[in-house]
Amino acid sequence: MKKAQSVTLLSSLLLLAGALAGCGNASAQSKQQTLHLMQDTELQSLDTSNTAQLTQWNVLQQSMEGLYRMNANNKVVGAMATKVVKPTNNGKTYTFHLRKNAKWNNGDAVTAQDFVTAWRRSVSSTSTSGYSYIYEGIKNAEQISAGKKPTSTLGVTAVNQHTLKVTLSRAMPYLDKMLTMPAFFPQDHKVVAKYGKDYGSTSQKMAYNGPFTVKGWNGTNDSWSLLKNKQYYAKKSIKLDKMTMQVVKDSTTAHNLFSQGKLDDAPVTGVTAKGVQSDKHLKHVKKAGTYYLRLNMQNNRALRNQNLRKALNLVLNKQSLTKNVLSDGSTPAYNYVTPSLATDPTTGKDFGTETQSKDRYDVQKAQKLWNKGLKELGKSSVTLKMVSEDTTVAKNIDQFVQAAVKQHLQHAKVEVSAVPAKASGTAVQNGNYDLTYTLWLADYADPVSFFDILTKNNPQNYGHYADAVFNQQVSAAHGKNATNQKAYWQNMRTAAERLNTTSAVVPLYNMTESHLVNNQLSGVTYHAVGENDYTRAYFK
């Protein structure tokens, strides 16, 4: 309580001093148009073909553009493509005409070959991004990712310098939304040829076709800049001259930097967030994301047992988590798919709400299920290895889970390992964990964006969930039912029910970010789906 009061008092004092300090030196920034931002994990790469990470995508959202982009009204509009096109051939052929005035920051023209190069690299069986699956539906993509066909057979063709043809193996009604994602951004094929495997390993070994260019990232440092791209086709709509980004893992540090005018937009959590809920600079940003526990279900791991997974879900008081631990406006999650992501058109109901699990916090039932699971495994006790990133919020979640298990489950223990993002990611990819705290932020506004990564052969299915019923439902939704609205949404509901029944994951909370925002900052688009867009921001 005392800490929360001191935070509020500090904010009040800063407001009173606003005329002198301008809270974030807004008056000075208004002239310079420099925006100071933070990321909560390290930047590992700028190459979307070999890495898929939230910090990376946040950076690329400001410095790159695909065929389409989402505007301030969350509407898909043309970007590198001159307009949003309608498919032909029963929804299986798209022909995009690229802007003839679109250039990379080095002066190269943005061409159809840049998309061909990027997509072939990303769908390749040697790609390590974990996102090759997102191309499935494009002709031959699945076979290429499996190493059964060469990348040259991918259904993407440069008809000429400014015409791109995409051929699908099945209709994909949601493709327009997908094409706004960084996974589908182009890559300057000349720059890729120049740097090879080192492409994107530093900010210099890249080319940028978006509003800003990245400068000063050497591949390991925790701060870098983004400068206005003079070659950007719509540069007149960009008012900022510069953005700076730095890695800040601790909410108290983020708050202090904001108070000192060194950050203009600072997401905060936990005690810090609780102390600023009445601050006039606070902005709640609801995102279509679910924070959850990924569970390792490999045969040599205890959580392959369904009853242990169910027990773990029931022993966690998610109301207490959001109210007392996070305190940032987040709400308890009882479903893998976030509420407000999409409306089920066949029922008129919010999908995430209509399909949520009925299971709630129940310690007695959890213990019974745990005992049953131990008996089925022939074990007297189980120690679970929890691996997570070394951010403040991740550590708080670790402690919450560890304490709940210790207090309420006999014959159970959680050992925590909090390490930098790269190390935790490696541990998860190698299967050296039992549970890990993670986030899925929807790539596009459809439940299948959540479901895809839990299908059996998906490269991001690091929990090794393999359920035949679930896989069948998602496969049918992508295939024979893709254009049959009633059947498609029945597939979605059945898939959601199956995840709940089998406890495929342990949902924790729905994503709501508490941002401390400079009151002179305007023009930011906080997308519910995808990354926040600061490219059209400015200081009043």
Side-chain angles (χ1 to χ4, degrees):
M1 178 64 71
K2 183 175 288 187
K3 188 170 185 179
Q5 288 175 338
S6 66
V7 168
T8 304
L9 176 59
L10 178 58
S11 297
S12 299
L13 290 172
L14 285 167
L15 286 173
L16 290 173
L20 296 175
C23 186
N25 294 324
S27 59
Q29 289 169 342
S30 180
K31 296 176 182 178
Q32 297 179 1
Q33 291 295 320
T34 298
L35 174 63
H36 300 292
L37 301 173
M38 61 170 274
Q39 301 294 324
D40 62 8
T41 58
E42 298 89 347
L43 178 60
Q44 297 177 27
S45 173
L46 290 168
D47 180 4
T48 52
S49 295
N50 286 318
T51 306
Q53 178 214 15
L54 193 56
T55 295
Q56 174 200 38
W57 283 29
N58 285 336
V59 174
L60 295 178
Q61 176 70 45
Q62 324 310 321
S63 58
M64 299 282 278
E65 278 192 356
L67 293 166
Y68 300 153
R69 59 182 292 269
M70 296 290 287
N71 68 11
N73 298 316
N74 290 312
K75 181 181 178 181
V76 177
V77 296
M80 291 298 100
T82 56
K83 63 179 181 179
V84 177
V85 302
K86 292 184 178 180
T88 57
N89 187 29
N90 296 316
K92 294 182 181 179
T93 302
Y94 288 76
T95 302
F96 302 95
H97 297 285
L98 306 186
R99 296 179 187 273
K100 294 182 179 180
N101 62 338
K103 292 184 178 181
W104 295 95
N105 67 300
N106 60 11
D108 291 344
V110 177
T111 68
Q113 185 59 47
D114 296 330
F115 286 91
V116 173
T117 296
W119 294 13
R120 285 179 178 177
R121 291 184 74 237
S122 295
V123 80
S124 168
S125 60
T126 60
S127 170
T128 55
S129 70
Y131 253 87
S132 57
Y133 78 91
I134 206 73
Y135 291 86
E136 291 180 9
I138 298 177
K139 184 179 178 181
N140 294 329
E142 193 169 357
Q143 296 93 323
I144 294 168
S145 294
K148 297 179 180 178
K149 287 189 175 183
T151 58
S152 60
T153 63
L154 184 67
V156 54
T157 307
V159 178
N160 55 47
Q161 186 174 15
H162 293 105
T163 306
L164 181 74
K165 182 180 178 181
V166 176
T167 304
L168 308 181
S169 57
R170 51 179 166 80
M172 299 171 66
Y174 39 79
L175 182 63
D176 288 354
K177 298 174 184 177
M178 294 174 66
L179 291 178
T180 67
M181 297 166 51
F184 289 95
F185 286 173
Q187 297 167 2
D188 186 333
H189 68 279
K190 296 179 181 178
V191 176
V192 172
K194 178 179 180 179
Y195 292 112
K197 63 183 178 61
D198 290 330
Y199 172 82
S201 59
T202 72
S203 58
Q204 288 185 318
K205 296 178 180 178
M206 280 277 292
Y208 308 91
N209 70 327
F212 293 84
T213 64
V214 184
K215 300 291 184 182
W217 183 65
N218 63 17
T220 60
N221 56 319
D222 287 343
S223 63
W224 55 90
S225 299
L226 292 93
L227 304 181
K228 187 173 180 178
N229 183 2
K230 296 178 181 179
Q231 299 284 4
Y232 182 53
Y233 70 93
K235 61 184 178 182
K236 291 183 179 180
S237 66
I238 308 303
K239 299 178 182 179
L240 291 174
D241 297 313
K242 180 180 180 180
M243 298 183 197
T244 67
M245 289 188 181
Q246 60 179 305
V247 177
V248 181
K249 298 181 180 182
D250 178 70
S251 278
T252 301
T253 303
H255 177 266
N256 290 339
L257 290 171
F258 178 81
S259 301
Q260 296 164 16
K262 296 179 180 179
L263 286 175
D264 295 302
D265 187 332
V268 293
T269 59
V271 174
T272 305
K274 191 172 184 178
V276 299
Q277 290 303 302
S278 60
D279 193 310
K280 67 178 293 184
H281 298 99
L282 183 70
K283 179 180 179 63
H284 281 131
V285 178
K286 291 189 178 297
K287 307 285 284 186
T290 302
Y291 283 95
Y292 64 98
L293 297 181
R294 176 187 285 131
L295 311 175
N296 190 347
M297 290 170 252
Q298 289 179 290
N299 288 333
N300 62 334
R301 294 289 174 172
L303 292 179
R304 69 185 185 275
N305 182 274
Q306 183 171 298
N307 285 310
L308 293 192
R309 300 198 301 270
K310 288 184 175 182
L312 190 60
N313 183 44
L314 291 172
V315 82
L316 301 178
N317 187 338
K318 299 167 189 178
Q319 289 280 1
S320 177
L321 170 64
T322 55
K323 181 180 179 181
N324 301 320
V325 178
L326 298 169
S327 305
D328 59 0
S330 296
T331 56
Y334 302 105
N335 199 350
Y336 174 53
V337 178
T338 311
S340 301
L341 170 73
T343 298
D344 180 341
T346 65
T347 64
K349 298 178 181 179
D350 176 81
F351 181 84
T353 303
E354 76 170 338
T355 60
Q356 69 179 4
S357 170
K358 293 181 173 61
D359 289 333
R360 295 296 184 271
Y361 178 56
D362 189 331
V363 172
Q364 290 185 339
K365 186 176 180 180
Q367 186 64 66
K368 290 180 181 179
L369 288 168
W370 188 263
N371 291 340
K372 184 178 180 181
L374 289 178
K375 186 176 181 180
E376 290 168 348
L377 291 173
K379 294 179 177 290
S380 59
S381 65
V382 163
T383 297
L384 301 174
K385 180 179 181 180
M386 185 169 186
V387 175
S388 68
E389 297 176 6
D390 59 348
T391 63
T392 299
V393 65
K395 291 178 181 178
N396 289 340
I397 297 296
D398 294 346
Q399 292 169 8
F400 168 80
V401 173
Q402 187 178 46
V405 169
K406 181 178 181 179
Q407 182 177 357
H408 299 302
L409 279 184
Q410 296 179 3
H411 315 299
K413 183 180 180 181
V414 173
E415 292 182 347
V416 172
S417 175
V419 293
K422 188 172 183 178
S424 66
T426 299
V428 169
Q429 290 177 28
N430 291 340
N432 187 22
Y433 78 105
D434 289 299
L435 61 157
T436 182
Y437 163 71
T438 191
L439 161 73
W440 186 253
L441 179 61
D443 290 322
Y444 50 98
D446 192 290
V448 81
S449 175
F450 277 83
F451 294 154
D452 275 342
I453 65 166
L454 293 183
T455 53
K456 182 178 179 181
N457 296 319
N458 190 283
Q460 293 203 49
N461 183 10
Y462 299 121
H464 301 276
Y465 178 66
D467 181 80
V469 175
F470 175 78
N471 289 328
Q472 289 167 1
Q473 296 301 312
V474 177
S475 178
H478 278 309
K480 64 180 181 179
N481 295 333
T483 56
N484 182 332
Q485 187 180 80
K486 183 177 180 180
Y488 179 89
W489 286 93
Q490 182 58 58
N491 290 144
M492 294 294 96
R493 289 192 297 275
T494 304
E497 180 182 355
R498 192 62 184 169
L499 292 184
N500 290 335
T501 300
T502 59
S503 294
V505 302
V506 176
L508 294 175
Y509 61 98
N510 303 310
M511 187 178 186
T512 299
E513 297 175 336
S514 284
H515 287 243
L516 290 170
V517 182
N518 186 329
N519 56 16
Q520 297 298 309
L521 181 63
S522 187
V524 179
T525 301
Y526 294 96
H527 291 298
V529 176
E531 296 70 44
N532 297 332
D533 185 350
Y534 294 91
T535 61
R536 270 67 179 174
Y538 60 94
F539 290 96
K540 295 182 286 187

